[in-house]
Amino acid sequence: MSSEDRFTASPGYSFGQLQRALDTAVHATDPQVRARARDKAARWEQVIAGIASGHLTVGSRTPVADTPTWVTLEVAHGGFATGRYLAESPLREDEMERLRSLPAGTPGSTNRERLNLWYLGDEGQTVLLHALRTEQYRVEVPEESALLVVTWLLDQGQVVQALDLVAELRPLMHRLRFTPRLTANTAPSGSTVRLESVGTVAAAIRRTRVPAQLAAMRETMQVWHPLYDRLVALWCVTVDGDLPSLADDAGKADARVVGGWPCQMWPADWAERRRAWLADADAAAREHRDTTAHRHAKGNFARLHRALERCPVDSRALSGREVGWVRRALANTITRHGAPGSETRAALRSIQAASVTHPTYATLAQVLAGRLDRYAPDGGLPAIDPIAGDVADGEAPDVPAGSPIPHHLIAKTMRALEAPISDLITRGVITSGEVLARVLPQITSQLLAANLADPALATVYAHTYAAFRRRRSLLLLNLQHQVQFDELPWMAVLAPLRTDRDQVTRAAQQTLRQGTLLAFTAFPHAILPNPLVREIGALATQAGLRIPLVEEVAADIFMGTFTTKWRDAAEIASRALAGTLYARYYDLPEAAFWSQQRPGANLVRRWGKQTAADFAALCTERAKEAQTANDGGNWAAGNGTVLEQSQIITTHNLATLIEALDLGEQARQIAPDLAERTLDWVVRRQAQPCPDHHAALQMIKNTAYAWRQAVFFLSLCDEQTQRAAVTRLQEHVTRAGIRHRFAPAVDGLAHVVGGGRFTSHGTVDGHNARRFLGWTVGPHWCMPSQAERPAATEDSV
């Protein structure tokens, strides 16, 4: 393949996603899940239609025809643009009110254009200038700060720059919102962060519903049981003699019925009581149509109900067999639950009623949501305690005072809590590196904005940066890179105004060190996700550091080569880890390998980028260890084996960050704990059942990546700690019941800790020990057997 060949993406992925969304929309039992699936299906239909028409070019930095790179696009799962602009949204109520106040003849071909142009006039500029100075605005999509920057430029007398910016925005003013929401500023301070706003959390809590099974049970207890008891009592008054019951062999299906017979006595008020009961039953059936299916056609309730409908005054319409069924039904319920009015039946109903008198989670969720309404919907919670207490007297109808708010609902509200990142990790609000990447921009934005001298402009910059980081990444081919923040025209015009202040640089360095250590300690089993890598890169730039950070590349879009930063990261890893357990376990190339290459011979330009041919060749050669099957058609798995080697050789940023940030001493102190926790996670994950083959493959890949992290952390420990870790691992694997298939990995680690090495095939001569890798072409030796997987159920299918 020549350096000019270009890759394109197949539409097959989009069709698969559409099919899955449609299946969920049709078959899901939860109406909210069905609604979300319909929305998802609509997005994938847009993707497919755009590809078919040529309006969308998947894999490009500008996937939507005639659209600048800076426009924020709606992006579906996998990085596929749908073609919709996120800033092209319906006018809000406040905007409609503003529009109605505009004089007739205001220029513009659309309502959006009329508003944008009005804000460029004297009155609009006054409104935006006030918002700038008071910081009373909110930026949800980056485009919404564009006219704020124009306003600032005009106020500072920089008319030429302002007009140039307006000229660049002008072609899309009829579609995009270039102004912010004018409201109180509720952004976190910069030292604290939050995951979501109060309004978002309150809306999610309000969607809490009573599960269908629980709702049916409550209605059975509160509606159908009282009706059933009245029905049984009504038939009992027709019995002559003792009430029917089952004989001593009541546990048998054909147990003998003893006692009197029904339909022998007809009280004077029979017709009235019958009519009243039937009317109440009909009303209940209409109101609770979805929960009446439990009344089985051959059940006691149904038999007595049908018989009652045919006995307006007596039982002449019933056959002898049908009267016998009435007697049998009475005997069944009286024997099991007691006669109507008896202490036995009353005690049973009391216990059952008590089980459903407690307020449901859905009811308590409404109470909690009401408490959240006291706070600004766009803001966060300063503390949890004020909204976490028991229900107060009179706070909510039908909820007893003192009822506690469930812990899982309180946990949901913590998503709006404003606190330092470390606190949110401890509380379990930030649960992964991906979530950490969502909140870190709230701090980064403040640091970057501090390089602007004007406080009002710095605030605009910070809001825009935070909004930009919420953009979803595009699927990109041919070594293209994601749109950068400085490519936004209204941010690019501010570049000459930024000055790198020493104080800001030091703050960025400190934040970078703290954020990196938090990622290591909170999620030691997980590689740094791409969004977090990008945010760490932004902090590194602000800190004045050039760190070759590498991303995780998807196997199905791998271009077969790597840019030079992968080679730079590999050189750092080889030097920093020389002679360590990691270097021996993964047979890292010696540091001299990289310096001995002829200068420039290993660099090849492809798609306008400098690539490292020697690094790519080394990864390809090393990947042969995992390519055990002659399966040339499985190109994605083949790519995966190469990409895994690129992660191994570079340590996927671990060695790079520790060296660049001078974290060696701190890393060595926490390494034993991180290694132990990571190995424990590997064993637990390996022991969890995998519902299907794909899930098993994903489990193997994730545990192999975590295993690599654990080996890295162990490499920072002394030999005694390494041996103790292997001993604990062997015991844990045995207790977890997975030694029969995971022993080769454990024995392989023990072999290298003891001073041994693997062969070129990743094995140990004469032993079952193996190097644990996540990707293979062909069957993986650690794949769980079919017997280890749970039986398929209707839900899983």
Side-chain angles (χ1 to χ4, degrees):
M1 180 177 293
S2 74
S3 61
E4 300 303 317
D5 290 335
R6 302 192 69 82
F7 290 85
T8 58
S10 168
Y13 179 86
S14 304
F15 281 106
Q17 291 293 322
L18 174 61
Q19 183 61 55
R20 279 188 281 273
L22 291 174
D23 288 345
T24 303
V26 172
H27 298 112
T29 56
D30 188 330
Q32 295 181 21
V33 173
R34 291 198 302 271
R36 289 195 295 270
R38 287 193 295 270
D39 291 341
K40 185 180 294 185
R43 289 195 294 272
W44 284 111
E45 287 173 345
Q46 288 180 305
V47 171
I48 293 170
I51 295 174
S53 67
H55 184 65
L56 290 179
T57 304
V58 178
S60 169
R61 293 183 85 237
T62 54
V64 183
D66 303 321
T67 300
T69 56
W70 51 263
V71 173
T72 305
L73 303 173
E74 180 183 58
V75 179
H77 182 75
F80 286 75
T82 67
R84 189 173 80 85
Y85 301 163
L86 289 186
E88 186 177 21
S89 56
L91 269 65
R92 300 185 299 261
E93 182 57 38
D94 62 310
E95 293 177 314
M96 292 297 296
E97 183 177 350
R98 175 80 68 186
L99 190 65
R100 287 190 289 267
S101 69
L102 298 185
T106 300
S109 60
T110 65
N111 287 338
R112 176 61 65 194
E113 187 173 23
R114 280 189 281 275
L115 275 176
N116 281 329
L117 292 178
W118 179 84
Y119 276 110
L120 288 174
D122 291 342
E123 290 184 75
Q125 285 290 287
T126 300
V127 171
L128 290 182
L129 191 58
H130 179 267
L132 261 175
R133 290 171 174 170
T134 60
E135 300 183 4
Q136 298 292 296
Y137 59 88
R138 180 182 177 191
V139 177
E140 297 174 345
V141 182
E143 287 87 329
E144 294 176 357
S145 68
L147 292 190
L148 283 174
V149 174
V150 171
T151 300
W152 186 88
L153 291 171
L154 291 174
D155 185 60
Q156 298 296 311
Q158 300 186 32
V159 178
V160 174
Q161 293 89 331
L163 292 178
D164 287 344
L165 177 55
V166 170
E168 191 160 359
L169 302 176
R170 188 67 180 85
L172 286 170
M173 279 196 177
H174 66 296
R175 299 181 62 180
L176 302 185
R177 182 171 61 236
F178 286 121
T179 54
R181 181 189 292 270
L182 302 179
T183 184
N185 177 14
T186 54
S189 64
S191 60
T192 61
V193 298
R194 65 168 182 261
L195 192 56
E196 292 176 347
S197 68
V198 168
T200 300
V201 170
I205 289 176
R206 278 197 169 89
R207 289 194 294 269
T208 303
R209 296 290 181 266
V210 179
Q213 289 182 325
L214 178 58
M217 183 185 75
R218 291 176 68 87
E219 290 184 353
T220 295
M221 303 293 187
Q222 296 172 342
V223 177
W224 298 110
H225 277 175
L227 275 172
Y228 183 40
D229 289 347
R230 285 172 56 195
L231 178 61
V232 172
L234 190 56
W235 277 112
C236 283
V237 300
T238 71
V239 175
D240 184 16
D242 294 337
L243 295 178
S245 62
L246 300 180
D248 293 339
D249 54 353
K252 299 181 180 179
D254 58 349
R256 183 167 51 90
V257 178
V258 297
W261 281 80
C263 303
Q264 304 300 308
M265 302 173 63
W266 301 98
D269 62 348
W270 166 264
E272 181 58 33
R273 291 174 62 184
R274 170 186 172 276
R275 187 163 41 249
W277 189 93
L278 289 174
D280 291 345
D282 288 344
R286 288 192 300 271
E287 184 176 351
H288 307 286
R289 187 182 304 275
D290 294 337
T291 58
T292 58
H294 71 283
R295 293 186 288 128
H296 193 275
K298 294 184 179 181
N300 296 331
F301 189 109
R303 291 185 186 279
L304 295 177
H305 186 183
R306 288 196 300 269
L308 188 68
E309 291 177 324
R310 299 174 60 193
C311 297
V313 293
D314 55 33
S315 59
R316 281 177 293 182
L318 300 180
S319 66
R321 178 180 177 83
E322 289 169 328
V323 172
W325 277 118
V326 172
R327 184 172 182 246
R328 163 69 68 169
L330 291 177
N332 286 342
T333 185
I334 290 171
T335 301
R336 180 174 298 177
H337 304 310
S342 67
E343 292 184 3
T344 301
R345 201 175 193 93
L348 172 66
R349 296 307 188 212
S350 177
I351 294 172
Q352 291 173 334
S355 68
V356 297
T357 54
H358 299 293
T360 64
Y361 288 161
T363 301
L364 294 170
Q366 303 311 309
V367 175
L368 183 58
R371 294 177 178 179
L372 292 174
D373 290 341
R374 305 168 191 164
Y375 298 85
D378 293 338
L381 288 175
I384 289 295
D385 290 345
I387 56 95
D390 295 348
V391 177
D393 188 18
E395 182 177 8
D398 304 324
V399 179
S403 297
I405 303 295
H407 292 298
H408 76 277
L409 292 178
I410 298 298
K412 287 184 178 181
T413 65
M414 288 186 185
R415 296 174 69 83
L417 178 65
E418 290 186 357
I421 288 179
S422 57
D423 288 358
L424 296 184
I425 290 176
T426 302
R427 289 173 177 265
V429 179
I430 297 176
T431 55
S432 67
E434 287 82 358
V435 180
L436 177 60
R438 286 176 56 186
V439 300
L440 193 56
Q442 296 173 35
I443 294 177
T444 310
S445 62
Q446 302 291 330
L447 288 171
L448 297 179
N451 285 320
L452 291 165
D454 187 288
L457 190 60
T459 300
V460 174
Y461 192 96
H463 283 312
T464 309
Y465 182 88
F468 180 81
R469 285 306 188 194
R470 291 194 289 269
R471 288 173 54 139
R472 297 193 64 176
S473 298
L474 290 166
L475 185 157
L476 296 179
L477 303 175
N478 307 312
L479 300 182
Q480 297 177 93
H481 61 80
Q482 298 291 334
V483 177
Q484 303 299 302
F485 182 63
D486 287 340
E487 292 183 72
L488 304 181
W490 54 103
M491 292 293 105
V493 75
L494 302 181
L497 304 176
R498 294 186 58 197
T499 58
D500 293 330
R501 304 179 184 177
D502 291 341
Q503 183 179 359
V504 176
T505 299
R506 289 193 296 272
Q509 292 173 349
Q510 182 181 2
T511 301
L512 181 57
R513 290 167 59 88
Q514 291 174 344
T516 300
L517 285 173
L518 278 174
F520 288 173
T521 56
F523 320 109
H525 62 279
I527 63 175
L528 299 179
N530 288 351
L532 186 55
V533 171
R534 286 193 289 272
E535 202 59 33
I536 289 175
L539 279 169
T541 300
Q542 178 59 53
L545 300 173
R546 294 181 60 85
I547 306 178
L549 298 172
V550 297
E551 300 84 9
E552 182 181 17
V553 180
D556 56 353
I557 63 169
F558 177 46
M559 299 290 100
T561 190
F562 302 88
T563 56
T564 55
K565 66 180 179 180
W566 263 269
R567 188 185 192 279
D568 295 340
E571 188 172 2
I572 292 173
S574 292
R575 183 179 67 252
L577 295 172
T580 65
L581 172 65
Y582 188 98
R584 299 197 311 274
Y585 185 90
Y586 289 111
D587 287 327
L588 285 191
E590 300 289 339
F593 172 84
W594 305 107
S595 59
Q596 290 170 356
Q597 302 295 313
R598 285 185 297 124
N602 63 308
L603 303 181
V604 178
R605 290 194 69 81
R606 296 192 66 183
W607 304 296
K609 300 287 183 66
Q610 199 86 309
T611 63
D614 57 345
F615 179 84
L618 180 62
C619 292
T620 302
E621 178 63 28
R622 289 168 59 96
K624 293 178 180 178
E625 174 185 331
Q627 297 171 358
T628 57
N630 185 18
D631 185 4
N634 196 345
W635 58 271
N639 285 349
T641 62
V642 176
L643 290 169
E644 184 173 17
Q645 289 301 322
S646 75
Q647 293 179 337
I648 288 172
I649 298 174
T650 62
T651 71
H652 199 72
N653 302 309
L654 295 179
T656 306
L657 284 170
I658 287 177
E659 178 172 284
L661 302 181
D662 193 22
L663 294 174
E665 184 58 35
Q666 293 97 317
R668 282 187 288 274
Q669 291 178 5
I670 61 177
D673 175 65
L674 299 185
E676 181 177 355
R677 287 164 52 200
T678 303
L679 291 174
D680 285 348
W681 184 89
V682 169
V683 175
R684 291 197 309 272
R685 186 65 187 88
Q686 280 276 342
Q688 289 176 0
C690 296
D692 52 45
H693 182 74
H694 176 75
L697 289 175
Q698 191 68 36
M699 177 274 292
I700 290 175
K701 188 189 80 168
N702 289 340
T703 52
Y705 287 6
W707 183 267
R708 185 177 71 239
Q709 304 253 128
V711 173
F712 178 88
F713 294 133
L714 279 177
S715 297
L716 305 180
C717 304
D718 57 44
E719 185 177 342
Q720 182 180 357
T721 301
Q722 293 173 1
R723 292 181 181 276
V726 170
T727 300
R728 284 194 303 272
L729 176 63
Q730 292 169 331
E731 295 171 351
H732 194 178
V733 165
T734 301
R735 289 196 304 270
I738 58 171
R739 183 162 184 80
H740 61 287
R741 60 179 175 81
F742 200 60
V746 178
D747 294 345
L749 179 60
H751 176 73
V752 178
V753 167
R757 300 294 289 264
F758 291 115
T759 68
S760 60
H761 302 293
T763 58
V764 176
D765 289 336
H767 294 82
N768 193 35
R770 302 194 61 157
R771 180 158 41 217
F772 183 29
L773 300 176
W775 285 87
T776 61
V777 177
H780 198 290
W781 55 265
C782 195
M783 176 67 67
S785 65
Q786 190 66 39
E788 293 181 75
R789 300 180 201 164
T793 64
E794 183 178 349
D795 290 339
S796 65
V797 173

